[in-house]
Amino acid sequence: VSPPSRVAMFQPGVGVRPFVFTRVFDEAASQQEVYDNVCRDSVCAAMNGFNACLFCYGQTGSGKTHTMFGQSVAMGGNAGAVVSPTSGCVVRAVADLFEAAGALEANCGVSTSLTAQYVQVYQDQLTCLRTGTPVVLREASPGAPVLLQGAAEVELHTLMDAADLLAQGEERKRYASTAMNHRSSRAHTVLVLRVVQTRCGLETTSQLHLVDLAGSERVKKSRAAGGRFVEAVGINSSLMALGRCIAARVEAKSHVPYYESRLTLLLRSALGGDSRTSVVVCCHKEDAHGD
């Protein structure tokens, strides 16, 4: 029996609409199952020299941060240096990168170095989540991966190094309580992993972007007001810009509007070229969220 691959929804005035996906997971799915079917291919692509990206998109409170980081990080604790049943895609991806690097060195003589930059995009402004300093996007050359000037570049030698970086970032992430989520992410979070492989004087560089997008929300449901309302408008605007870039890529248009937001400019190398990009869509099952 093939795994489920579609979601059917009833919309008043429209009827039943099917939405087709590569794979559909219910609330009984394990973190390992989601990672194996969604993120592992991105890790393999990065180890094979391709740029890769995993987005986690969805309504506020639908489980995006849990999917990407796992229960410990989502609750504000240390990520830990051991992959547990509750570990999310980020921790599992880093663990697999280290495992693959070790196997390549032992079997093929390939030396691999792994570095990370961890940033958040809040109100179209970038901040380094390790140091709290502002980050500026720079282009070394047209079409080249965008440089994160001001973002600390951390060498990762063990899973503990990654856990420490995630824990430091958790202290600087922007959260707020809304009517839909008591701990709503108010900024997009991007972990950029740079993989450099060397053998016999030849070097290959690839990037793996792991992106926890801030949740889309309808203000009438989240009851955002004041500063929270401004944040909601900024979040939805940047998500719309991201949607326009993806649509332009799918339709093979000659112009892709990467410069409409800093989020899309940051992710230009993840959305274009030979990048292997996957998207996890998190959603509520309750009828009240069907619209």
Side-chain angles (χ1 to χ4, degrees):
V1 179
S2 60
S5 60
R6 66 176 58 197
V7 174
M9 291 180 56
F10 174 77
Q11 284 188 297
V14 178
V16 177
R17 293 186 59 192
F19 296 86
V20 180
F21 300 90
T22 303
R23 180 71 185 271
V24 175
F25 305 93
D26 61 16
E27 63 273 11
S30 67
Q31 293 279 65
Q32 183 68 53
E33 185 180 2
V34 173
Y35 173 78
D36 288 342
N37 286 275
V38 176
C39 188
R40 190 182 293 276
D41 285 348
S42 298
V43 174
C44 292
M47 291 302 297
N48 285 326
F50 295 97
N51 291 330
C53 179
L54 174 67
F55 289 103
C56 202
Y57 167 84
Q59 189 178 25
T60 181
S62 58
K64 299 179 300 300
T65 300
H66 175 76
T67 300
M68 292 300 289
F69 294 99
Q71 183 176 1
S72 59
V73 177
M75 296 300 291
N78 192 299
V82 178
V83 176
S84 69
T86 61
S87 297
C89 289
V90 170
V91 176
R92 295 177 189 275
V94 175
D96 270 5
L97 285 172
F98 281 126
E99 183 178 350
L104 281 174
E105 185 167 13
N107 299 325
C108 306
V110 177
S111 176
T112 304
S113 67
L114 183 62
T115 57
Q117 291 176 296
Y118 196 23
V119 299
Q120 72 174 358
V121 185
Y122 175 74
Q123 293 295 85
D124 211 33
Q125 300 297 318
L126 273 77
T127 306
C128 175
L129 283 173
R130 189 191 185 197
T131 63
T133 57
V135 174
V136 178
L137 299 179
R138 299 294 187 194
E139 295 180 89
S141 60
V146 176
L147 304 177
L148 298 173
Q149 182 176 320
E153 190 165 5
V154 182
E155 292 186 6
L156 303 181
H157 301 286
T158 65
L159 193 55
M160 178 61 81
D161 294 335
D164 289 342
L165 177 60
L166 295 178
Q168 291 169 6
E170 197 64 26
E171 297 176 358
R172 293 186 171 89
K173 285 185 182 180
R174 289 183 177 268
Y175 293 104
S177 177
T178 70
M180 296 181 67
N181 186 0
H182 75 282
R183 199 164 187 266
S184 173
S185 298
R186 312 310 288 172
H188 309 298
T189 301
V190 183
L191 178 66
V192 183
L193 298 171
R194 187 168 181 263
V195 182
V196 180
Q197 298 172 293
T198 307
R199 182 186 181 189
C200 301
L202 300 177
E203 183 177 285
T204 299
T205 301
S206 58
Q207 289 186 333
L208 173 60
H209 290 77
L210 300 173
V211 186
D212 179 20
L213 294 170
S216 61
E217 62 183 79
R218 294 198 172 186
V219 175
K220 67 177 182 180
K221 290 186 177 180
S222 66
R223 300 174 190 171
R228 300 289 85 82
F229 175 80
V230 174
E231 290 172 345
V233 172
I235 291 169
N236 291 337
S237 296
S238 59
L239 290 175
M240 290 177 64
L242 177 60
R244 286 191 288 270
C245 288
I246 293 175
R249 291 288 301 167
V250 171
E251 297 168 9
K253 292 185 176 180
S254 59
H255 173 69
V256 182
Y258 291 122
Y259 290 91
E260 285 192 3
S261 78
R262 286 183 172 82
L263 174 67
T264 51
L265 181 58
L266 166 62
L267 298 175
R268 183 176 64 185
S269 62
L271 295 171
D274 60 2
S275 180
R276 273 57 171 164
T277 302
S278 301
V279 179
V280 178
V281 179
C282 296
C283 48
H284 295 281
K285 294 180 66 176
E286 292 82 2
D287 291 342
H289 301 290
D291 59 349

